Amino acid sequence: MKIKTLLLGAIASAALAPAAFAERGSDGQVNIIYWQAPSILNPFLSGGTKDVESASLVIEPLARYDPQGEMVPYLVEEIPTVDNGGVSEDLTSITWKIKPGLLWSDGTPFTSKDVKFTADYCMHPEGGCAQVTKFEGVTNVEAVDDLTVKVTFDKPTPFPYGPFVGGESPIIQAAQFADCLGAKAPECTTANFAPIGTGPFVVDEFKPNDVITMSANTNYRDPAKPAFAKVLFKGGGDATAAGRAVMETGEFDYAWNLQLAPEVIAQMETGGKGVPVAGFGPLVERIMLNNTNPDPALGPDERSVIRPHPFLSDPAVYKALSLAIDRPLLVEIGYGKAGKVGCNWVPAPAAFASDTFDCSTQDIAAANAMLDEAGYKDTNGDGVRETPDGKPMKILYQTSTNAVRQDFQALIKQWWSEIGIETELRNINSSVFFGGDPGSPDTFQKFYADVEMYANTFNGTDPQSYLGNGLCDKAPRPDSQWQGENISRFCDEEFDKLHAELSQTAGLEARAEIAKRLNDIIVEKGGMIPLVHRGRLSARSNTLGGVDLNVWDTELWNAADWHRTE
């Protein structure tokens, strides 16, 4: 089957199912498999997509984004705007009106106090919150009354929808997390593994990096939903096994993130048990460049904290590394029609996509010339260049364990050897790599390597909060329990000033121009090397209805609507 046909068929099969069901829990059990196993169900303590996604079955934001990128109310009456009075005329505050009668899964009322507490939890000065960029510029969150919460910003904020919107910024229960503020947050295992929520399901048992069992939330706001009484959420394995479990054996109903070669996906679909579902959003596979020194000889409070990197801070080096990469070949072997050459940090929506860079042509000769001119020579003839102070240019290149990523690593290692850079490859179990455990040396946040490769995306169609991940003060540090989304430790005064300007700018065209410049700064100045603009590709069983793949929020955003079709 041609991949174009495959994708078209996948998109066509994603039609919304009927909204009404016979009764809650009438369709038995749904089986979900994420080969990157969740390690925690609190997205404020993990930047890993698999943790955000799994938690979204339980805890919810005030509003989400639908598959068209439109903001839709979930726990509130409507989306606040200037026109309806929800956003102040001076753009310094936003007021949310909570739907009356909402209950937590334990039967207690959901109120504005829980919303305020969530902000206090994430913004606590002694804590480390993986989603703190959502609260950039927030000076106060006030519970006006039980059903009204007001968020105030330090300046006019034309896009005030960072806090409490999208799967990355859900509401947690104040009563459950009351003793989990600041440095105590990672210690609250019970709450972090089994949060009380307003979503369609409740946690029965959570085995980190393995399996989650859930049951229908008896206090869910729609008495006819969810259709499924039970969820088996299996984690681990690999993308190949996950795809087969849906499309070939029918053991599972939904498999997430099938990062596999296109011919493998096409072969799996011939199994007849399921079909792929696909869509393009802002997901980018990239190589992050460590702007700090990851030398193991440094102490735990200095490693990947002290800048600069011994040689990756030199534009000649990171630009040569980028020039040496054959991105069209990576797309061909890794994704086929489900991938595009990626030159930007923010490739979508189209209005925000920069056209500054053309990275589609590999040029080994130009890369070598660039390094020669910068004074990096192979003085002893072993094929490895040295820095001007005589240190060999060796790179530790890490990523998560995945067949496509290991293929990419092998190719890039070869290309970099052709420009005199020696590369050691390392792959880490994805559940650990994306887990966010502050005690682990192997997380992508801790970044004990020179470069690391992964992909991530953002909720919604406005990248302001996502671009905030490049701000100087968002770098993971020991005093933030290694939380923070500025993974490369990038720090640039112009970037920080420009992001502040974006946060005060109204109008799509003006915001887009600033966002493009922010994108260009972080690529031009060595924050990352973009590789592939990836389509999201997952799979659903032929008997699972209601799936509507959403590239602007979590893939499980409408799990309350999922049901059995036969």
Side-chain angles (χ1 to χ4, degrees), residues 439-474:
S440 171
D442 297 323
T443 65
F444 82 114
Q445 295 102 325
K446 196 158 281 188
F447 204 171
Y448 283 171
D450 300 289
V451 301
E452 64 184 8
M453 180 173 65
Y454 61 90
N456 70 4
T457 184
F458 59 92
N459 285 177
T461 55
D462 189 286
Q464 179 180 311
S465 293
Y466 187 61
L467 289 164
N469 293 336
L471 295 171
C472 295
D473 65 353
K474 299 302 181 290

PDB file of all heavy atoms in Angstrom, residues 439-474:
ATOM      1  N   GLY A 439      16.261  11.809  40.584  1.00  0.00           N
ATOM      2  CA  GLY A 439      17.369  10.999  41.067  1.00  0.00           C
ATOM      3  C   GLY A 439      18.075  10.208  39.988  1.00  0.00           C
ATOM      4  O   GLY A 439      19.124   9.611  40.226  1.00  0.00           O
ATOM      5  N   SER A 440      17.511  10.190  38.790  1.00  0.00           N
ATOM      6  CA  SER A 440      18.100   9.409  37.701  1.00  0.00           C
ATOM      7  C   SER A 440      19.104  10.236  36.917  1.00  0.00           C
ATOM      8  O   SER A 440      18.852  11.396  36.595  1.00  0.00           O
ATOM      9  CB  SER A 440      17.002   8.912  36.754  1.00  0.00           C
ATOM     10  OG  SER A 440      17.576   8.335  35.588  1.00  0.00           O
ATOM     11  N   PRO A 441      20.249   9.643  36.547  1.00  0.00           N
ATOM     12  CA  PRO A 441      21.218  10.362  35.699  1.00  0.00           C
ATOM     13  C   PRO A 441      20.873  10.289  34.221  1.00  0.00           C
ATOM     14  O   PRO A 441      21.560  10.888  33.392  1.00  0.00           O
ATOM     15  CB  PRO A 441      22.524   9.618  35.986  1.00  0.00           C
ATOM     16  CG  PRO A 441      22.080   8.207  36.240  1.00  0.00           C
ATOM     17  CD  PRO A 441      20.759   8.321  36.970  1.00  0.00           C
ATOM     18  N   ASP A 442      19.797   9.567  33.876  1.00  0.00           N
ATOM     19  CA  ASP A 442      19.533   9.228  32.475  1.00  0.00           C
ATOM     20  C   ASP A 442      18.349   9.972  31.855  1.00  0.00           C
ATOM     21  O   ASP A 442      17.919   9.620  30.756  1.00  0.00           O
ATOM     22  CB  ASP A 442      19.285   7.716  32.352  1.00  0.00           C
ATOM     23  CG  ASP A 442      20.503   6.907  32.759  1.00  0.00           C
ATOM     24  OD1 ASP A 442      21.622   7.343  32.467  1.00  0.00           O
ATOM     25  OD2 ASP A 442      20.323   5.835  33.372  1.00  0.00           O
ATOM     26  N   THR A 443      17.803  10.980  32.524  1.00  0.00           N
ATOM     27  CA  THR A 443      16.666  11.693  31.960  1.00  0.00           C
ATOM     28  C   THR A 443      17.124  12.719  30.923  1.00  0.00           C
ATOM     29  O   THR A 443      18.230  13.238  30.998  1.00  0.00           O
ATOM     30  CB  THR A 443      15.863  12.419  33.046  1.00  0.00           C
ATOM     31  OG1 THR A 443      16.677  13.442  33.631  1.00  0.00           O
ATOM     32  CG2 THR A 443      15.408  11.447  34.121  1.00  0.00           C
ATOM     33  N   PHE A 444      16.224  13.001  29.998  1.00  0.00           N
ATOM     34  CA  PHE A 444      16.566  14.009  28.986  1.00  0.00           C
ATOM     35  C   PHE A 444      16.675  15.399  29.608  1.00  0.00           C
ATOM     36  O   PHE A 444      17.403  16.250  29.104  1.00  0.00           O
ATOM     37  CB  PHE A 444      15.560  13.979  27.834  1.00  0.00           C
ATOM     38  CG  PHE A 444      14.268  14.726  28.049  1.00  0.00           C
ATOM     39  CD1 PHE A 444      13.957  15.847  27.295  1.00  0.00           C
ATOM     40  CD2 PHE A 444      13.333  14.289  28.985  1.00  0.00           C
ATOM     41  CE1 PHE A 444      12.755  16.529  27.479  1.00  0.00           C
ATOM     42  CE2 PHE A 444      12.130  14.954  29.162  1.00  0.00           C
ATOM     43  CZ  PHE A 444      11.838  16.080  28.413  1.00  0.00           C
ATOM     44  N   GLN A 445      15.996  15.639  30.733  1.00  0.00           N
ATOM     45  CA  GLN A 445      16.121  16.929  31.401  1.00  0.00           C
ATOM     46  C   GLN A 445      17.513  17.110  32.011  1.00  0.00           C
ATOM     47  O   GLN A 445      18.085  18.191  31.954  1.00  0.00           O
ATOM     48  CB  GLN A 445      15.085  17.083  32.516  1.00  0.00           C
ATOM     49  CG  GLN A 445      13.644  17.115  32.040  1.00  0.00           C
ATOM     50  CD  GLN A 445      12.962  15.785  32.280  1.00  0.00           C
ATOM     51  OE1 GLN A 445      13.585  14.721  32.181  1.00  0.00           O
ATOM     52  NE2 GLN A 445      11.671  15.823  32.582  1.00  0.00           N
ATOM     53  N   LYS A 446      18.044  16.033  32.594  1.00  0.00           N
ATOM     54  CA  LYS A 446      19.360  16.149  33.231  1.00  0.00           C
ATOM     55  C   LYS A 446      20.446  16.348  32.186  1.00  0.00           C
ATOM     56  O   LYS A 446      21.409  17.066  32.417  1.00  0.00           O
ATOM     57  CB  LYS A 446      19.629  14.910  34.089  1.00  0.00           C
ATOM     58  CG  LYS A 446      20.760  15.112  35.077  1.00  0.00           C
ATOM     59  CD  LYS A 446      20.694  14.141  36.244  1.00  0.00           C
ATOM     60  CE  LYS A 446      19.678  14.541  37.274  1.00  0.00           C
ATOM     61  NZ  LYS A 446      19.746  13.711  38.501  1.00  0.00           N
ATOM     62  N   PHE A 447      20.299  15.706  31.022  1.00  0.00           N
ATOM     63  CA  PHE A 447      21.152  15.951  29.852  1.00  0.00           C
ATOM     64  C   PHE A 447      22.640  15.768  30.173  1.00  0.00           C
ATOM     65  O   PHE A 447      23.460  16.659  29.921  1.00  0.00           O
ATOM     66  CB  PHE A 447      20.894  17.351  29.303  1.00  0.00           C
ATOM     67  CG  PHE A 447      21.251  17.533  27.849  1.00  0.00           C
ATOM     68  CD1 PHE A 447      20.893  18.702  27.192  1.00  0.00           C
ATOM     69  CD2 PHE A 447      21.936  16.569  27.121  1.00  0.00           C
ATOM     70  CE1 PHE A 447      21.208  18.915  25.847  1.00  0.00           C
ATOM     71  CE2 PHE A 447      22.262  16.750  25.785  1.00  0.00           C
ATOM     72  CZ  PHE A 447      21.893  17.928  25.147  1.00  0.00           C
ATOM     73  N   TYR A 448      22.984  14.588  30.678  1.00  0.00           N
ATOM     74  CA  TYR A 448      24.389  14.268  30.910  1.00  0.00           C
ATOM     75  C   TYR A 448      25.011  13.729  29.622  1.00  0.00           C
ATOM     76  O   TYR A 448      25.495  12.591  29.556  1.00  0.00           O
ATOM     77  CB  TYR A 448      24.514  13.246  32.042  1.00  0.00           C
ATOM     78  CG  TYR A 448      24.334  13.824  33.435  1.00  0.00           C
ATOM     79  CD1 TYR A 448      24.228  12.980  34.546  1.00  0.00           C
ATOM     80  CD2 TYR A 448      24.273  15.206  33.660  1.00  0.00           C
ATOM     81  CE1 TYR A 448      24.066  13.495  35.829  1.00  0.00           C
ATOM     82  CE2 TYR A 448      24.107  15.713  34.937  1.00  0.00           C
ATOM     83  CZ  TYR A 448      24.006  14.855  36.013  1.00  0.00           C
ATOM     84  OH  TYR A 448      23.846  15.356  37.297  1.00  0.00           O
ATOM     85  N   ALA A 449      24.969  14.509  28.580  1.00  0.00           N
ATOM     86  CA  ALA A 449      25.541  14.160  27.280  1.00  0.00           C
ATOM     87  C   ALA A 449      25.800  15.463  26.537  1.00  0.00           C
ATOM     88  O   ALA A 449      25.411  16.546  26.982  1.00  0.00           O
ATOM     89  CB  ALA A 449      24.587  13.273  26.491  1.00  0.00           C
ATOM     90  N   ASP A 450      26.475  15.355  25.388  1.00  0.00           N
ATOM     91  CA  ASP A 450      26.749  16.555  24.592  1.00  0.00           C
ATOM     92  C   ASP A 450      25.562  16.924  23.718  1.00  0.00           C
ATOM     93  O   ASP A 450      25.224  18.102  23.579  1.00  0.00           O
ATOM     94  CB  ASP A 450      27.991  16.320  23.725  1.00  0.00           C
ATOM     95  CG  ASP A 450      29.224  16.016  24.558  1.00  0.00           C
ATOM     96  OD1 ASP A 450      29.729  16.941  25.210  1.00  0.00           O
ATOM     97  OD2 ASP A 450      29.653  14.847  24.572  1.00  0.00           O
ATOM     98  N   VAL A 451      24.945  15.916  23.116  1.00  0.00           N
ATOM     99  CA  VAL A 451      23.752  16.148  22.301  1.00  0.00           C
ATOM    100  C   VAL A 451      22.747  15.038  22.606  1.00  0.00           C
ATOM    101  O   VAL A 451      23.138  13.933  23.010  1.00  0.00           O
ATOM    102  CB  VAL A 451      24.070  16.177  20.782  1.00  0.00           C
ATOM    103  CG1 VAL A 451      25.086  17.261  20.464  1.00  0.00           C
ATOM    104  CG2 VAL A 451      24.556  14.831  20.269  1.00  0.00           C
ATOM    105  N   GLU A 452      21.480  15.346  22.431  1.00  0.00           N
ATOM    106  CA  GLU A 452      20.457  14.317  22.590  1.00  0.00           C
ATOM    107  C   GLU A 452      19.319  14.586  21.615  1.00  0.00           C
ATOM    108  O   GLU A 452      19.040  15.721  21.240  1.00  0.00           O
ATOM    109  CB  GLU A 452      19.955  14.231  24.023  1.00  0.00           C
ATOM    110  CG  GLU A 452      19.240  15.458  24.551  1.00  0.00           C
ATOM    111  CD  GLU A 452      18.854  15.303  26.023  1.00  0.00           C
ATOM    112  OE1 GLU A 452      19.275  14.326  26.670  1.00  0.00           O
ATOM    113  OE2 GLU A 452      18.122  16.179  26.540  1.00  0.00           O
ATOM    114  N   MET A 453      18.675  13.500  21.203  1.00  0.00           N
ATOM    115  CA  MET A 453      17.659  13.579  20.153  1.00  0.00           C
ATOM    116  C   MET A 453      16.317  13.092  20.676  1.00  0.00           C
ATOM    117  O   MET A 453      16.230  12.056  21.321  1.00  0.00           O
ATOM    118  CB  MET A 453      18.098  12.727  18.957  1.00  0.00           C
ATOM    119  CG  MET A 453      17.134  12.711  17.786  1.00  0.00           C
ATOM    120  SD  MET A 453      17.844  11.838  16.349  1.00  0.00           S
ATOM    121  CE  MET A 453      17.967  10.148  16.995  1.00  0.00           C
ATOM    122  N   TYR A 454      15.297  13.846  20.375  1.00  0.00           N
ATOM    123  CA  TYR A 454      13.926  13.457  20.705  1.00  0.00           C
ATOM    124  C   TYR A 454      12.990  14.372  19.933  1.00  0.00           C
ATOM    125  O   TYR A 454      13.423  15.232  19.152  1.00  0.00           O
ATOM    126  CB  TYR A 454      13.659  13.545  22.212  1.00  0.00           C
ATOM    127  CG  TYR A 454      13.807  14.915  22.818  1.00  0.00           C
ATOM    128  CD1 TYR A 454      12.729  15.790  22.897  1.00  0.00           C
ATOM    129  CD2 TYR A 454      15.032  15.341  23.331  1.00  0.00           C
ATOM    130  CE1 TYR A 454      12.860  17.053  23.454  1.00  0.00           C
ATOM    131  CE2 TYR A 454      15.181  16.594  23.883  1.00  0.00           C
ATOM    132  CZ  TYR A 454      14.089  17.450  23.949  1.00  0.00           C
ATOM    133  OH  TYR A 454      14.227  18.706  24.493  1.00  0.00           O
ATOM    134  N   ALA A 455      11.709  14.207  20.127  1.00  0.00           N
ATOM    135  CA  ALA A 455      10.716  15.085  19.525  1.00  0.00           C
ATOM    136  C   ALA A 455       9.740  15.517  20.596  1.00  0.00           C
ATOM    137  O   ALA A 455       9.460  14.770  21.529  1.00  0.00           O
ATOM    138  CB  ALA A 455       9.966  14.366  18.398  1.00  0.00           C
ATOM    139  N   ASN A 456       9.247  16.741  20.481  1.00  0.00           N
ATOM    140  CA  ASN A 456       8.096  17.121  21.287  1.00  0.00           C
ATOM    141  C   ASN A 456       7.272  18.152  20.537  1.00  0.00           C
ATOM    142  O   ASN A 456       7.617  18.561  19.425  1.00  0.00           O
ATOM    143  CB  ASN A 456       8.492  17.590  22.698  1.00  0.00           C
ATOM    144  CG  ASN A 456       9.208  18.920  22.719  1.00  0.00           C
ATOM    145  OD1 ASN A 456       9.382  19.593  21.703  1.00  0.00           O
ATOM    146  ND2 ASN A 456       9.647  19.321  23.900  1.00  0.00           N
ATOM    147  N   THR A 457       6.182  18.546  21.138  1.00  0.00           N
ATOM    148  CA  THR A 457       5.236  19.418  20.464  1.00  0.00           C
ATOM    149  C   THR A 457       4.606  20.323  21.513  1.00  0.00           C
ATOM    150  O   THR A 457       5.075  20.386  22.658  1.00  0.00           O
ATOM    151  CB  THR A 457       4.181  18.581  19.715  1.00  0.00           C
ATOM    152  OG1 THR A 457       3.319  19.437  18.973  1.00  0.00           O
ATOM    153  CG2 THR A 457       3.368  17.710  20.653  1.00  0.00           C
ATOM    154  N   PHE A 458       3.553  21.046  21.154  1.00  0.00           N
ATOM    155  CA  PHE A 458       2.882  21.888  22.123  1.00  0.00           C
ATOM    156  C   PHE A 458       1.382  21.844  21.885  1.00  0.00           C
ATOM    157  O   PHE A 458       0.911  21.517  20.797  1.00  0.00           O
ATOM    158  CB  PHE A 458       3.391  23.331  22.071  1.00  0.00           C
ATOM    159  CG  PHE A 458       3.228  24.023  20.732  1.00  0.00           C
ATOM    160  CD1 PHE A 458       2.093  24.764  20.443  1.00  0.00           C
ATOM    161  CD2 PHE A 458       4.226  23.956  19.773  1.00  0.00           C
ATOM    162  CE1 PHE A 458       1.952  25.418  19.224  1.00  0.00           C
ATOM    163  CE2 PHE A 458       4.099  24.601  18.552  1.00  0.00           C
ATOM    164  CZ  PHE A 458       2.961  25.334  18.275  1.00  0.00           C
ATOM    165  N   ASN A 459       0.622  22.149  22.940  1.00  0.00           N
ATOM    166  CA  ASN A 459      -0.826  22.181  22.837  1.00  0.00           C
ATOM    167  C   ASN A 459      -1.279  23.515  22.265  1.00  0.00           C
ATOM    168  O   ASN A 459      -0.749  24.568  22.608  1.00  0.00           O
ATOM    169  CB  ASN A 459      -1.466  21.992  24.210  1.00  0.00           C
ATOM    170  CG  ASN A 459      -1.397  20.564  24.708  1.00  0.00           C
ATOM    171  OD1 ASN A 459      -1.812  20.262  25.814  1.00  0.00           O
ATOM    172  ND2 ASN A 459      -0.871  19.649  23.910  1.00  0.00           N
ATOM    173  N   GLY A 460      -2.291  23.461  21.403  1.00  0.00           N
ATOM    174  CA  GLY A 460      -2.847  24.672  20.844  1.00  0.00           C
ATOM    175  C   GLY A 460      -2.135  25.112  19.581  1.00  0.00           C
ATOM    176  O   GLY A 460      -1.231  24.444  19.080  1.00  0.00           O
ATOM    177  N   THR A 461      -2.540  26.266  19.064  1.00  0.00           N
ATOM    178  CA  THR A 461      -1.990  26.766  17.807  1.00  0.00           C
ATOM    179  C   THR A 461      -1.172  28.035  17.985  1.00  0.00           C
ATOM    180  O   THR A 461      -0.691  28.592  17.006  1.00  0.00           O
ATOM    181  CB  THR A 461      -3.134  27.050  16.814  1.00  0.00           C
ATOM    182  OG1 THR A 461      -4.074  27.940  17.426  1.00  0.00           O
ATOM    183  CG2 THR A 461      -3.841  25.760  16.418  1.00  0.00           C
ATOM    184  N   ASP A 462      -0.998  28.477  19.217  1.00  0.00           N
ATOM    185  CA  ASP A 462      -0.147  29.638  19.476  1.00  0.00           C
ATOM    186  C   ASP A 462       1.086  29.177  20.246  1.00  0.00           C
ATOM    187  O   ASP A 462       0.958  28.584  21.325  1.00  0.00           O
ATOM    188  CB  ASP A 462      -0.899  30.703  20.277  1.00  0.00           C
ATOM    189  CG  ASP A 462      -0.105  32.001  20.378  1.00  0.00           C
ATOM    190  OD1 ASP A 462       0.882  32.041  21.140  1.00  0.00           O
ATOM    191  OD2 ASP A 462      -0.480  32.968  19.693  1.00  0.00           O
ATOM    192  N   PRO A 463       2.299  29.419  19.727  1.00  0.00           N
ATOM    193  CA  PRO A 463       3.504  28.845  20.327  1.00  0.00           C
ATOM    194  C   PRO A 463       4.151  29.684  21.420  1.00  0.00           C
ATOM    195  O   PRO A 463       5.289  29.417  21.795  1.00  0.00           O
ATOM    196  CB  PRO A 463       4.443  28.731  19.116  1.00  0.00           C
ATOM    197  CG  PRO A 463       4.080  29.912  18.272  1.00  0.00           C
ATOM    198  CD  PRO A 463       2.577  30.069  18.434  1.00  0.00           C
ATOM    199  N   GLN A 464       3.460  30.679  21.966  1.00  0.00           N
ATOM    200  CA  GLN A 464       4.113  31.556  22.934  1.00  0.00           C
ATOM    201  C   GLN A 464       4.719  30.791  24.116  1.00  0.00           C
ATOM    202  O   GLN A 464       5.888  30.971  24.454  1.00  0.00           O
ATOM    203  CB  GLN A 464       3.132  32.613  23.461  1.00  0.00           C
ATOM    204  CG  GLN A 464       3.746  33.549  24.502  1.00  0.00           C
ATOM    205  CD  GLN A 464       2.756  34.569  25.002  1.00  0.00           C
ATOM    206  OE1 GLN A 464       2.078  35.227  24.219  1.00  0.00           O
ATOM    207  NE2 GLN A 464       2.656  34.727  26.323  1.00  0.00           N
ATOM    208  N   SER A 465       3.918  29.954  24.759  1.00  0.00           N
ATOM    209  CA  SER A 465       4.431  29.209  25.915  1.00  0.00           C
ATOM    210  C   SER A 465       5.541  28.251  25.504  1.00  0.00           C
ATOM    211  O   SER A 465       6.533  28.084  26.220  1.00  0.00           O
ATOM    212  CB  SER A 465       3.296  28.441  26.594  1.00  0.00           C
ATOM    213  OG  SER A 465       2.364  29.319  27.180  1.00  0.00           O
ATOM    214  N   TYR A 466       5.374  27.620  24.359  1.00  0.00           N
ATOM    215  CA  TYR A 466       6.376  26.671  23.857  1.00  0.00           C
ATOM    216  C   TYR A 466       7.693  27.386  23.604  1.00  0.00           C
ATOM    217  O   TYR A 466       8.761  26.901  23.992  1.00  0.00           O
ATOM    218  CB  TYR A 466       5.844  26.053  22.585  1.00  0.00           C
ATOM    219  CG  TYR A 466       6.660  24.919  21.997  1.00  0.00           C
ATOM    220  CD1 TYR A 466       6.872  23.747  22.711  1.00  0.00           C
ATOM    221  CD2 TYR A 466       7.171  25.014  20.708  1.00  0.00           C
ATOM    222  CE1 TYR A 466       7.587  22.692  22.145  1.00  0.00           C
ATOM    223  CE2 TYR A 466       7.883  23.974  20.149  1.00  0.00           C
ATOM    224  CZ  TYR A 466       8.088  22.813  20.862  1.00  0.00           C
ATOM    225  OH  TYR A 466       8.794  21.769  20.303  1.00  0.00           O
ATOM    226  N   LEU A 467       7.646  28.546  22.975  1.00  0.00           N
ATOM    227  CA  LEU A 467       8.855  29.318  22.735  1.00  0.00           C
ATOM    228  C   LEU A 467       9.474  29.789  24.050  1.00  0.00           C
ATOM    229  O   LEU A 467      10.692  30.000  24.128  1.00  0.00           O
ATOM    230  CB  LEU A 467       8.541  30.515  21.839  1.00  0.00           C
ATOM    231  CG  LEU A 467       8.234  30.171  20.373  1.00  0.00           C
ATOM    232  CD1 LEU A 467       7.559  31.342  19.672  1.00  0.00           C
ATOM    233  CD2 LEU A 467       9.506  29.754  19.635  1.00  0.00           C
ATOM    234  N   GLY A 468       8.647  29.922  25.083  1.00  0.00           N
ATOM    235  CA  GLY A 468       9.166  30.265  26.400  1.00  0.00           C
ATOM    236  C   GLY A 468      10.113  29.228  26.957  1.00  0.00           C
ATOM    237  O   GLY A 468      10.862  29.492  27.908  1.00  0.00           O
ATOM    238  N   ASN A 469      10.122  28.027  26.360  1.00  0.00           N
ATOM    239  CA  ASN A 469      11.050  26.985  26.799  1.00  0.00           C
ATOM    240  C   ASN A 469      12.496  27.322  26.447  1.00  0.00           C
ATOM    241  O   ASN A 469      13.414  26.600  26.844  1.00  0.00           O
ATOM    242  CB  ASN A 469      10.676  25.645  26.174  1.00  0.00           C
ATOM    243  CG  ASN A 469       9.342  25.132  26.685  1.00  0.00           C
ATOM    244  OD1 ASN A 469       8.899  25.497  27.772  1.00  0.00           O
ATOM    245  ND2 ASN A 469       8.680  24.299  25.896  1.00  0.00           N
ATOM    246  N   GLY A 470      12.709  28.401  25.699  1.00  0.00           N
ATOM    247  CA  GLY A 470      14.071  28.841  25.406  1.00  0.00           C
ATOM    248  C   GLY A 470      14.561  29.944  26.321  1.00  0.00           C
ATOM    249  O   GLY A 470      15.678  30.439  26.152  1.00  0.00           O
ATOM    250  N   LEU A 471      13.752  30.344  27.300  1.00  0.00           N
ATOM    251  CA  LEU A 471      14.151  31.419  28.209  1.00  0.00           C
ATOM    252  C   LEU A 471      15.246  30.956  29.163  1.00  0.00           C
ATOM    253  O   LEU A 471      15.269  29.804  29.608  1.00  0.00           O
ATOM    254  CB  LEU A 471      12.942  31.901  29.016  1.00  0.00           C
ATOM    255  CG  LEU A 471      11.827  32.565  28.203  1.00  0.00           C
ATOM    256  CD1 LEU A 471      10.593  32.788  29.078  1.00  0.00           C
ATOM    257  CD2 LEU A 471      12.302  33.873  27.595  1.00  0.00           C
ATOM    258  N   CYS A 472      16.133  31.875  29.495  1.00  0.00           N
ATOM    259  CA  CYS A 472      17.292  31.533  30.332  1.00  0.00           C
ATOM    260  C   CYS A 472      16.897  30.858  31.637  1.00  0.00           C
ATOM    261  O   CYS A 472      17.523  29.880  32.063  1.00  0.00           O
ATOM    262  CB  CYS A 472      18.103  32.793  30.649  1.00  0.00           C
ATOM    263  SG  CYS A 472      18.872  33.592  29.220  1.00  0.00           S
ATOM    264  N   ASP A 473      15.849  31.378  32.291  1.00  0.00           N
ATOM    265  CA  ASP A 473      15.510  30.871  33.620  1.00  0.00           C
ATOM    266  C   ASP A 473      14.691  29.591  33.610  1.00  0.00           C
ATOM    267  O   ASP A 473      14.273  29.114  34.662  1.00  0.00           O
ATOM    268  CB  ASP A 473      14.783  31.949  34.436  1.00  0.00           C
ATOM    269  CG  ASP A 473      13.428  32.327  33.852  1.00  0.00           C
ATOM    270  OD1 ASP A 473      13.097  31.859  32.738  1.00  0.00           O
ATOM    271  OD2 ASP A 473      12.696  33.092  34.513  1.00  0.00           O
ATOM    272  N   LYS A 474      14.472  29.015  32.427  1.00  0.00           N
ATOM    273  CA  LYS A 474      13.704  27.773  32.348  1.00  0.00           C
ATOM    274  C   LYS A 474      14.591  26.539  32.190  1.00  0.00           C
ATOM    275  O   LYS A 474      14.106  25.444  31.923  1.00  0.00           O
ATOM    276  CB  LYS A 474      12.709  27.834  31.181  1.00  0.00           C
ATOM    277  CG  LYS A 474      11.688  28.968  31.308  1.00  0.00           C
ATOM    278  CD  LYS A 474      10.898  28.865  32.597  1.00  0.00           C
ATOM    279  CE  LYS A 474       9.854  29.961  32.729  1.00  0.00           C
ATOM    280  NZ  LYS A 474      10.395  31.290  32.946  1.00  0.00           N
TER     281      LYS A 474
END
